[in-house]
Amino acid sequence: MEEPRIVGLKGLEQATPRPAPTGFDGQGTLQDAVRDLITTYHDLNPTTIDELDDEPSPLEFMRYVARNRPFVVRKAANTWSSHKKWNSNYLREILRETNVNVAITPHGNADSILHLPPNGAVFVKPLERSEPFSQAMDRIKTQALDPTYSGPTHYLQTQNDNLRGEYATLFEDVPPSIPWARIALEKDPDAINFWLGNAASTTALHKDNYENVYVQVLGRKHFVLLPPVEAPCVNEKAVLAATYAYTGAHTDAGVLNKDDLVVQIDEPEEGEQQGTYVPFATWDPDQPDAHATPYSQHSRPLRVSLDEGDMLYLPALWYHKVSQSCNDEGLCCAVNYWYDLDFSGGFWAANSFVRGVGLLEQQQRQASVAAKPHPASLAGKDANASMDRWVREFQQGVGLREREGPQTQTQTTEKAQPSFGTDEDGPGAWSTAEKSRAFDRWVDEWQQQALGQTPESALAPPSAYPQTSSEAQVPQPIANAEKNSTMESWMRQWTTAQK
């Protein structure tokens, strides 16, 4: 085959293929790619949840499934028997003394993260025991209506198709399936669940492998929703599993007090040494500065409340946190239909990839931080002079108050000793903005001093600030929450190094 004649070619090097453009400024990093994925999703999708005037047709519903986007239909269940009949008297009459499974926690925190300062956490499941329905409902109502109630929180929340099981006598009051979902998905619901509780219970941020149709019957539910693409935002960790249990002085019978419950670490599964660990989101969108990742700031939670008779389509793999408000009887009741996720096609695989990439990037970043020297490694040596001065500024408040003019030693002593707390901690506390400015100034000084030095002779910066002299001139953005936690970490490490 004859070689083609090419005009204007300056040489083979010019024709050598080059890396395709990534769309990022400069070379870009894995963190840039993950961030761009999240922000692009939000650029292309609405920041509100669609509200439909009527229930969708199967075709309309399937379009939402294909886009993996939620919607609400107001008053869609107003014609259901459950909407017309269910109240405390009716439920008591139908269920009477039927024994039901009750989830009991001291603070309404079933299946949630319990943080243990400074860096620990356990995933706590509720104490479960069987009680007559009327007794369980009375305790739920009493907690909601009696301000003197001081006992634990009771919640009827078994997610095991309970409306066709222990609550089967109520099943005739609801449809056996949602018609447009059954036709579109070509399947009946995998589970139909009954929920009864009060405002004391909150369901922590989590996701389910189901297409979920959620119907509010009594009271209100309040949802915070995150799309699956925000998996890197939720700071998923493998958390030690535990369960609320009775103290040694309490038995299964009788009235419980909060003090009768303790957190019992679960027995290790076979092959595990230290315990059983559960993968779970540790970030709470309602407390965005705590336990955040570098991606959490890009999260755009959707919020929606359901009134009685409202219906929510919650797509598969969407993270959701749920709180609730009671009706006048002190009850909040709902029913939901779980349709199993179709794992074929690319949806499940793509979302697993996004989650995996986010976790790998997070682990690599943490490993990089752990490999760097830090102030604690100064033990037995002279402490870094800059760190000494920074700590004095922190302890005396000089660093930020010097802008207000010189102070005498007496004036400094008379003022409230500054604390590294929140804006509400008192007149001596540094605000978040002050801590952020101090952090920036300290890092700038460290970078100037570190130029040309080896890592062993320089105070280690946080992960977002590289150590080499060529890189240290270009610090990367870092969230205020991370600045604050890094400052606190430096303080603890510096103090340890001086002992």
Side-chain angles (χ1 to χ4, degrees), residues 286-350:
D286 290 328
Q287 300 178 19
D289 289 338
H291 312 289
T293 75
Y295 309 109
S296 301
Q297 61 184 313
H298 303 295
S299 174
R300 298 292 181 268
L302 304 182
R303 299 176 186 272
V304 64
S305 292
L306 300 186
D307 294 311
E308 295 180 1
D310 290 348
M311 182 181 293
L312 167 69
Y313 165 57
L314 178 59
L317 302 185
W318 272 63
Y319 293 93
H320 49 289
K321 176 184 177 181
V322 190
S323 56
Q324 48 198 12
S325 304
C326 300
N327 65 0
D328 293 340
E329 292 187 308
L331 295 176
C332 181
C333 181
V335 172
N336 83 295
Y337 294 74
W338 270 343
Y339 294 85
D340 201 12
L341 169 65
D342 184 354
F343 291 88
S344 64
F347 175 72
W348 170 261

Side-chain angles (χ1 to χ4, degrees), residues 17-341:
R18 302 179 181 184
T22 63
F24 306 122
D25 294 334
Q27 293 183 344
T29 64
L30 180 59
Q31 184 171 335
D32 293 331
V34 176
R35 182 197 63 234
D36 190 63
L37 172 68
I38 298 170
T39 56
T40 300
Y41 175 88
H42 291 306
D43 289 342
L44 298 176
N45 288 276
T47 57
T48 57
I49 296 175
D50 288 356
E51 293 198 10
L52 308 184
D53 295 329
D54 299 298
E55 293 184 67
S57 68
L59 177 59
E60 290 170 331
F61 172 62
M62 205 60 201
R63 288 172 179 157
Y64 279 93
V65 174
R67 294 197 302 269
N68 193 241
R69 293 290 299 182
F71 64 79
V72 171
V73 187
R74 299 295 183 188
K75 307 302 180 184
N78 275 8
T79 60
W80 292 15
S81 295
S82 57
H83 182 76
K84 299 175 181 179
K85 294 181 180 179
W86 287 9
N87 56 39
S88 62
N89 289 335
Y90 178 82
L91 295 175
R92 189 188 308 276
E93 178 183 349
I94 296 298
L95 291 166
R96 298 182 182 274
E97 300 305 304
T98 301
N99 282 330
V100 296
N101 181 287
V102 184
I104 302 175
T105 59
H107 308 293
N109 55 328
D111 300 323
S112 65
I113 298 294
L114 179 63
H115 291 284
L116 307 176
N119 299 313
V122 291
F123 175 77
V124 189
K125 300 181 292 295
L127 167 70
E128 296 185 14
R129 73 177 186 182
S130 181
E131 293 183 8
F133 174 83
S134 58
Q135 175 180 300
M137 184 176 67
D138 285 343
R139 287 175 174 165
I140 291 171
K141 293 176 60 177
T142 299
Q143 182 178 21
L145 302 176
D146 184 356
T148 65
Y149 179 85
S150 59
T153 298
H154 295 67
Y155 197 14
L156 309 185
Q157 61 151 29
T158 47
Q159 301 159 50
N160 57 356
D161 196 26
N162 62 16
L163 198 48
R164 294 185 290 198
E166 58 187 331
Y167 300 103
T169 50
L170 295 173
F171 184 54
E172 65 180 19
D173 293 335
V174 301
S177 183
I178 305 298
W180 37 267
R182 175 181 54 80
I183 295 171
L185 301 174
E186 298 182 327
K187 63 182 72 173
D188 287 319
D190 194 54
I192 307 175
N193 298 311
F194 172 87
W195 308 76
L196 185 70
N198 58 34
S201 292
T202 297
T203 303
L205 188 72
H206 70 287
K207 63 181 179 180
D208 300 307
N209 299 336
Y210 291 100
E211 308 290 357
N212 189 353
V213 179
Y214 203 97
V215 181
Q216 192 64 27
V217 182
L218 301 174
R220 305 182 75 208
K221 290 273 189 180
H222 313 286
F223 288 80
V224 183
L225 307 179
L226 277 63
V229 74
E230 289 193 9
C233 302
V234 305
N235 201 7
E236 182 180 331
K237 300 283 189 181
V239 186
L240 182 64
T243 305
Y244 282 111
Y246 299 119
T247 61
H250 194 89
T251 64
D252 191 49
V255 177
L256 274 172
N257 296 311
K258 290 182 180 180
D259 293 340
D260 293 325
L261 298 177
V262 295
V263 176
Q264 175 67 53
I265 301 301
D266 290 355
E267 290 293 327
E269 294 182 351
E270 186 176 354
E272 296 285 349
Q273 296 295 325
Q274 295 187 335
T276 299
Y277 288 80
V278 178
F280 205 78
T282 63
W283 181 68
D284 183 347
D286 290 328
Q287 300 178 19
D289 289 338
H291 312 289
T293 75
Y295 309 109
S296 301
Q297 61 184 313
H298 303 295
S299 174
R300 298 292 181 268
L302 304 182
R303 299 176 186 272
V304 64
S305 292
L306 300 186
D307 294 311
E308 295 180 1
D310 290 348
M311 182 181 293
L312 167 69
Y313 165 57
L314 178 59
L317 302 185
W318 272 63
Y319 293 93
H320 49 289
K321 176 184 177 181
V322 190
S323 56
Q324 48 198 12
S325 304
C326 300
N327 65 0
D328 293 340
E329 292 187 308
L331 295 176
C332 181
C333 181
V335 172
N336 83 295
Y337 294 74
W338 270 343
Y339 294 85
D340 201 12
L341 169 65

